[in-house]
Amino acid sequence: MADLVRLGRFQERLIWVSGVSPESWPAWRTLLLAYSDASRNLVPEGRRTALVVPLAGVGFQQPDVSDVAVTHWQFRDVVHRDDLFVMALQHEDGRPSRHRVSRALRANSVAHISQWDHTLAERLLEADLQSALQPRAILESYARERGWTAATAENWEVGTVDGPRNRPLVHSALLAVQGREAELDRRLWAAQASVLLPLLEERRVELIDRHRSHFKLPFETELGRFEEPDDLELGSLLYYFHLHGPPNGKAMGEAKRLRAARNKLAHIKPLKPSEALHPVVLGA
């Protein structure tokens, strides 16, 4: 080992070692500790070659190799949802023909469903928009490819869990095969709510602006007195139309659709793709 670390051709390099198995790890551990001892005693720190040895999967014991010139890190809770959101936005930027809201919905949905798994994120980004927004089939297919079933353990080493140890996140594909619909729906809802709730407010204001002269206020309801058209929320707006008549059938239809979408999101329920992408919601 001493002769190896002294070789000029061996110094100032980074060597990536792949294919280490649980069976071969004890030998590699012995080698790394010997290399650490030789390199720190015989080679200046700036000229030492670094060996990187990824240990992936189950079967490895805790890699107790900490020494002066050797250490280990767990690649856990490193990739976050926000990283995948940025990745998805960059992917969508290459498709300028898409409506800005549908692009935002896809990026948010990909991030909330993938959480940390960039491979799943890529799968969702390549799928059609409807499948990306309602991804159960993709998740079940992904789980089959990984060999996951409802009985698969929630284990970081096999990829079914990530995030902080005190608040672990279960992979969406495992949730799908376990039938944990409520947890998947919450992730989809969170993705939609961040995009659509502000958008629905914009649509409410636009609807009122188009028909401002139609409103005869003040307007008394069980919820209180409305002095200005802008104070009418979607529920009270629709109630006004029922009592006094809408400006036209289109306005009534828009108000109903907007209120239905808002109410669903307000009850922490995700919209179907056809609901989220409806022209009334998108403002298309």
Side-chain angles (χ1 to χ4, degrees):
M1 187 65 70
D3 292 338
L4 177 64
V5 299
R6 286 196 183 98
L7 283 176
R9 289 176 298 173
F10 185 78
Q11 295 173 6
E12 298 182 76
R13 296 178 182 275
L14 186 146
I15 299 177
W16 187 277
V17 180
S18 59
V20 177
S21 66
E23 293 74 23
S24 64
W25 167 240
W28 276 103
R29 179 181 181 278
T30 300
L31 182 146
L32 290 172
L33 291 172
Y35 177 73
S36 167
D37 185 62
S39 62
R40 68 186 175 88
N41 288 316
L42 300 173
V43 182
E45 184 174 356
R47 299 186 61 187
R48 297 173 192 164
T49 284
L51 303 180
V52 181
V53 185
L55 306 179
V58 297
F60 293 97
Q61 295 180 346
Q62 180 69 17
D64 182 19
V65 289
S66 296
D67 200 359
V68 175
V70 61
T71 189
H72 70 275
W73 295 274
Q74 279 195 342
F75 198 75
R76 177 173 185 156
D77 197 27
V78 174
V79 179
H80 299 145
R81 188 178 67 208
D82 290 345
D83 299 313
L84 297 186
F85 176 68
V86 172
M87 169 186 161
L89 279 182
Q90 290 174 336
H91 183 276
E92 290 296 280
D93 283 344
R95 302 179 178 184
S97 61
R98 285 204 173 138
H99 192 284
R100 65 177 181 86
V101 178
S102 67
R103 292 165 66 194
L105 275 173
R106 181 194 282 266
N108 273 278
S109 296
V110 167
H112 279 80
I113 290 298
S114 302
Q115 293 288 326
W116 71 86
D117 188 339
H118 70 89
T119 302
L120 175 59
E122 290 170 355
R123 184 79 55 87
L124 292 168
L125 287 170
E126 293 302 326
D128 63 87
L129 183 57
Q130 298 279 334
S131 299
L133 298 184
Q134 203 165 39
R136 165 170 277 284
I138 294 175
L139 293 174
E140 290 177 344
S141 174
Y142 191 82
R144 286 194 298 270
E145 292 173 16
R146 299 291 297 269
W148 297 346
T149 68
T152 299
E154 296 177 10
N155 189 297
W156 175 74
E157 286 77 8
V158 298
T160 54
V161 166
D162 201 87
R165 290 184 177 278
N166 62 340
R167 191 169 48 86
L169 297 168
V170 179
H171 199 288
S172 293
L174 187 63
L175 294 180
V177 296
Q178 289 179 340
R180 293 159 69 176
E181 298 288 343
E183 292 173 72
L184 275 177
D185 280 350
R186 279 198 295 273
R187 292 182 182 182
L188 288 170
W189 168 82
Q192 293 181 3
S194 61
V195 176
L196 294 180
L197 284 177
L199 186 69
L200 291 171
E201 179 65 13
E202 291 180 25
R203 298 293 171 261
R204 178 190 71 85
V205 173
E206 291 169 359
L207 180 59
I208 290 173
D209 281 344
R210 286 199 303 272
H211 306 289
R212 189 169 292 273
S213 62
H214 176 78
F215 298 102
K216 308 301 179 186
L217 300 178
F219 174 48
E220 296 282 354
T221 74
E222 294 179 356
L223 299 176
R225 179 183 176 93
F226 295 90
E227 301 283 352
E228 298 293 335
D230 293 322
D231 296 333
L232 294 169
E233 299 295 335
L234 287 169
S236 53
L237 177 63
L238 194 59
Y239 183 47
Y240 183 94
F241 286 167
H242 279 302
L243 289 181
H244 301 284
N248 51 57
K250 181 181 178 182
M252 175 65 91
E254 289 179 359
K256 286 182 176 179
R257 182 164 292 277
L258 294 174
R259 187 189 66 168
R262 193 281 316 272
N263 284 355
K264 205 168 183 180
L265 291 172
H267 289 87
I268 317 182
K269 296 180 180 179
L271 304 183
K272 298 177 181 177
S274 60
E275 297 169 330
L277 299 173
H278 194 279
V280 169
V281 175
L282 297 182

